[in-house]
Amino acid sequence: MTRKISVGGKILTGAVALLGATLVLSACDKTQAVFPDKDKGDSAPRMSNEKRETIFGPEGLFGKSKPEGEGVGIGVNAFLWRASLDTVSFMPITTADAFGGTIITDWYQLPETPSERYKVNVFILDRTLRADGVKVSLFKQVRDGSGAWVDVRVDPKMVVDLENSILTRARQLRVVSSEPTQ
């Protein structure tokens, strides 16, 4: 007798599950999918060129996406970017990311001092041409008595001179770009 109750319980559980699934699926019966009608000129919102209002306002969450007059397709100030590349162009560049504003060079030995080598990391921190918009990290190594490279402290004046060189070149590029063409 307990066996019949057990089988009946399974049947009852299955019937309840089937009834629940039927109710869920029947709730979807009255809905219709809405597709854009190309004949009427309708288009999906993601394809539209219309400006849409958002909860973040007309300028988005972080303000304007690009300041006026900035180059398209680059994430940092174009003058600082070009000046940084020009300034470290004599060194082998390992990584250059225009959107993140980073330039990383490989080690470089000056021909005059083969027992020293330098590595430079340039970080462009702003989309505007400002003195604090560029940061340089300079690394120096020298050979010890056994011929191995050893890290040594870099004179902070060298870092400042390199940053000033980049800023001077950026100002020159800005002046040249703003001159009228003849």
Side-chain angles (χ1 to χ4, degrees), residues 2-182:
T2 56
R3 186 176 174 118
K4 289 183 181 179
I5 294 173
S6 165
V7 171
K10 287 183 181 179
I11 292 174
L12 182 61
T13 304
V16 169
L18 182 62
L19 179 64
T22 304
L23 287 174
V24 168
L25 291 175
S26 68
C28 299
D29 184 37
K30 303 292 185 223
T31 62
Q32 290 183 335
V34 178
F35 298 101
D37 188 2
K38 292 183 181 178
D39 297 335
K40 294 181 182 177
D42 293 344
S43 65
R46 69 181 179 275
M47 304 290 277
S48 173
N49 289 332
E50 297 175 17
K51 281 242 182 209
R52 295 184 301 150
E53 289 189 30
T54 67
I55 61 172
F56 301 115
E59 294 183 356
L61 181 61
F62 299 109
K64 289 187 177 182
S65 61
K66 288 188 178 156
E68 298 297 322
E70 291 295 320
V72 176
I74 188 167
V76 295
N77 182 276
F79 300 120
L80 285 173
W81 176 253
R82 184 74 242 165
S84 299
L85 285 174
D86 288 351
T87 303
V88 298
S89 64
F90 66 95
M91 300 178 80
I93 295 176
T94 303
T95 304
D97 178 14
F99 294 103
T102 58
I103 300 170
I104 300 173
T105 69
D106 202 0
W107 290 103
Y108 176 75
Q109 291 174 280
L110 293 167
E112 305 85 44
T113 55
S115 63
E116 294 180 347
R117 66 181 186 175
Y118 295 90
K119 178 180 176 69
V120 177
N121 295 347
V122 180
F123 304 100
I124 301 171
L125 307 172
D126 204 341
R127 294 187 61 111
T128 58
L129 179 55
R130 299 171 31 145
D132 61 350
V134 65
K135 179 177 179 357
V136 173
S137 298
L138 182 63
F139 306 95
K140 179 180 179 181
Q141 290 182 338
V142 296
R143 286 196 191 268
D144 64 2
S146 66
W149 291 106
V150 179
D151 293 333
V152 295
R153 188 174 178 276
V154 176
D155 182 11
K157 185 178 178 334
M158 290 179 72
V159 173
V160 172
D161 289 344
L162 195 53
E163 287 175 351
N164 287 338
S165 177
I166 291 171
L167 290 167
T168 300
R169 178 69 180 138
R171 285 186 211 103
Q172 291 170 347
L173 291 170
R174 182 175 177 196
V175 167
V176 168
S177 74
S178 64
E179 290 177 354
T181 57
Q182 295 178 355

